[in-house]
Amino acid sequence: MFRPRRLRQTPQLRSLVRETRLDPGQLILPLFVRPGKGVRNPVSSLPGVFQFSPDEAVREAAAAASAGVPGVILFGLPETKDDKASGAYARDGIVQRAVRALKKELPDLIVITDVCLCEYMSHGHCGIVHEGRKTVLNDPTLELLAKTALSHAEAGADLVAPSDMMDGRVRVIRERLDQAGFIDTPIMAYAAKYASSFYGPFREAADSAPHFGDRRGYQMDPANAREGLREVALDLAEGADIVMVKPALAYLDVLHRVKQEFGCPTAAYSVSGEYAMIKAAAARGWIDEKAVQLETLLSIRRAGADIIITYAAVEAANWLAGK
Ligand code: PBG
């Protein structure tokens, strides 16, 4: 009789037949960067996450790299905000400065930049807002996104990751990068990004909550999975090299379908709310943090993610190494 249990009897056998592996080399750590020197501001809703000045970001990234985490994704908190998001594409903007510092000290680190305007806009939306109608204007926003992505590439970013969800932005970013000679800089597109309530703690960390309305006019309806596949198809046609599904845990079905349908390099963003829930329950002693975090990350890999962006990247890497 066939007994599935036969191959479960020892750790060696279980490892031999394991279908999915979790490796630190597949994890990306988000870093929030802000002006200053020696700054490490804790984010209250994300224990273990800080807003760093560029010098401290370098220290954190070095620690991540030595734990086996190959890359970081940067989010910027500018000195000032306005209604043109000037800080997003300034040559000496906070992300641009952090990229230069990171690439100088850690040339092998993969430095990804989040390309969005919400952190730089006085109103907190991801694009230019029409004054009277209070809606985000898609096409005028594209130019600012292209400028932002190009300024990141010029600073030395290895990959740019548009997270704004405007239509057509991958195409304009690809064209702008190519024109400027950055033909080998890949685009990781936040392709299926849902209008999720799991982003709450991030908006504290990045000071990017919209001042009026919400993001449902550009981010996706959580009820729609087929639409996620259409968004992915569009981004690939426009030139995306890696597509992302975000959030991860509540959207594993979408992730699975994206990987099945397109088979392309696929990332999942295990967002701030997912991390905060595990931290909060663990702090009360209600769950085993290490076991739950690793099981969560494994489930995201099993669903189809090649790459996972997670605030737990360094902890997970150390746990996986038995530390
Ligand atoms: C920028 C952006 C957001 C996140 C990543 N890029 C916030 C948002 O869309 O409101 C969320 C990440 C997280 O919650 O960890 N648009």
Side-chain angles (χ1 to χ4, degrees):
M1 191 182 72
F2 176 61
R3 290 172 175 273
R5 285 182 62 256
R6 274 186 200 122
L7 294 173
R8 293 177 198 155
Q9 300 312 309
T10 68
Q12 292 78 6
L13 282 172
R14 289 193 291 272
S15 173
L16 186 69
V17 297
R18 188 158 295 141
E19 298 172 24
T20 310
R21 289 182 194 275
L22 184 60
D23 187 279
Q26 299 160 317
L27 305 178
I28 297 289
L29 177 70
L31 290 180
F32 298 97
V33 290
R34 62 175 307 142
K37 235 180 151 29
V39 181
R40 260 183 109 85
N41 286 351
V43 178
S44 62
S45 52
L46 294 171
V49 175
F50 301 82
Q51 299 168 342
F52 296 112
S53 50
D55 56 324
E56 289 290 325
V58 169
R59 281 180 45 178
E60 189 75 3
S66 60
V69 174
V72 297
I73 181 165
L74 301 182
F75 298 93
L77 290 100
E79 214 116 31
T80 55
K81 304 179 190 239
D82 58 30
D83 60 3
K84 299 191 294 290
S86 315
Y89 41 86
R91 223 195 86 77
D92 63 346
I94 181 60
V95 164
Q96 291 80 355
R97 277 187 278 145
V99 169
R100 282 188 217 106
L102 286 162
K103 290 306 295 184
K104 181 158 173 268
E105 301 299 327
L106 304 163
D108 293 337
L109 181 77
I110 301 169
V111 176
I112 307 172
T113 54
D114 182 84
V115 175
C116 197
L117 306 177
C118 55
E119 296 113 289
Y120 308 90
M121 286 287 198
S122 35
H123 46 63
H125 276 287
C126 301
I128 294 174
V129 168
H130 183 283
E131 269 307 309
R133 280 188 273 134
K134 295 281 180 211
T135 55
V136 170
L137 299 170
N138 191 90
D139 293 11
T141 299
L142 300 180
E143 170 59 23
L144 301 188
L145 293 167
K147 275 165 75 166
T148 302
L150 178 59
S151 73
H152 292 171
E154 284 171 343
D158 296 298
L159 255 113
V160 294
S163 69
D164 53 282
M165 287 301 277
M166 296 303 127
D167 292 336
R169 88 274 203 222
V170 174
R171 184 187 308 278
V172 297
I173 290 172
R174 184 71 272 158
E175 284 171 2
R176 191 65 53 92
L177 291 176
D178 289 351
Q179 279 162 11
F182 293 100
I183 53 171
D184 289 330
T185 302
I187 298 176
M188 176 166 75
Y190 288 68
K193 176 173 176 180
Y194 287 87
S196 169
S197 300
F198 285 92
Y199 305 150
F202 173 93
R203 291 178 187 170
E204 180 204 334
D207 185 26
S208 68
H211 292 184
F212 61 87
D214 54 45
R215 300 207 205 288
R216 282 181 288 190
Y218 37 105
Q219 297 182 352
M220 289 179 51
D221 183 338
N224 297 352
R226 287 191 300 267
E227 187 188 1
L229 300 184
R230 288 202 297 277
E231 284 276 11
V232 167
L234 279 169
D235 282 0
L236 288 171
E238 291 181 25
D241 301 278
I242 302 171
V243 292
M244 194 198 298
V245 174
K246 176 186 171 191
L249 205 48
Y251 298 85
L252 292 181
D253 58 324
V254 179
L255 182 58
H256 180 73
R257 289 171 71 172
V258 164
K259 190 67 190 185
Q260 295 277 308
E261 176 107 3
F262 300 98
C264 62
T266 304
Y269 197 142
S270 184
V271 301
S272 55
E274 300 175 40
Y275 175 87
M277 289 194 301
I278 292 177
K279 283 284 173 192
R284 285 162 182 73
W286 292 347
I287 58 171
D288 174 341
E289 179 176 6
K290 172 182 168 183
V292 170
Q293 187 60 260
L294 291 178
E295 185 177 333
T296 300
L297 293 172
L298 185 69
S299 77
I300 298 168
R301 286 271 303 125
R302 194 186 64 236
D306 303 297
I307 303 161
I308 307 176
I309 302 176
T310 169
Y311 301 93
V314 179
E315 284 172 315
N318 286 328
W319 287 327
L320 289 169
K323 284 183 221 157

